[in-house]
Amino acid sequence: MARDKDKKGSKDSQEQARPDQARHSAKERPRLRTRFDKEVAPALLKELELNNAMAVPRLNKIVVNMGIGEATQNSKILDPAVNELGQITGQKPIVTKAKKSIAAFKVREGQAIGTMVTLRGDRMYEFFDRLVNIVLPRVRDFRGVSTKSFDGRGNYTLGLHDQLIFPEISYEKVDKMKGMNVTIVTTAANDNQARTLLKHLGMPFRTQ
């Protein structure tokens, strides 16, 4: 009994000695998600003349895909790409494989040809926030993104030429420039709704 009391007393004293230690791991809500709920959603409801708040278009997921054509000849080149994409998105990427063989490109079915990440929830909002406010302004001679890259179903695809525009990537550690596609999937009923949504969220579309 005395030993149990000593253990309990020791544990209490340790907790008292660390008063500043966090007692929970609750994550702060992304600022863009908060702004969407408080500002963007009501504005879209009015601008798009929707009758139901549930019909307001919103982000569904963001898919970041990095194709590595040279991986067909050297599979080791995929390792840096997977590592860099993980740093950029904050999530572990998966390796994409060819669905069928293509003799002209020397690709066999099941062969690793790239890497990708699908972001949802808070990570999706955090990535979008960094993309429009930090990453795109770092593009050389940036004049806005195209307004014509919608697929007709409310989804938008943006092509990035290299990974160095992301501040998470160190120039000294990059062996090769790697481009990627960022596909923003929305719940919009059409491209016009999706364009309005992305514009309200800060996507810098070209004026012409």
Side-chain angles (χ1 to χ4, degrees), residues 8-19:
K8 185 176 180 180
S10 176
K11 184 176 180 181
D12 292 339
S13 64
Q14 288 179 1
E15 291 182 352
Q16 292 175 1
R18 295 178 294 180

Side-chain angles (χ1 to χ4, degrees), residues 14 95 137 139 159 162 169 201:
Q14 288 179 1
V95 175
V139 176
D162 65 80
I169 303 299
L201 290 176

Side-chain angles (χ1 to χ4, degrees), residues 57-61 147-157 183-198:
R58 62 191 68 230
L59 298 180
N60 183 24
K61 63 182 178 180
T147 59
K148 301 178 181 179
S149 298
F150 290 89
D151 65 351
R153 294 174 292 179
N155 305 317
Y156 184 81
T157 299
T183 300
I184 302 168
V185 181
T186 76
T187 62
N190 51 58
D191 290 348
N192 181 56
Q193 285 192 3
R195 189 180 296 106
T196 305
L197 166 65
L198 297 184

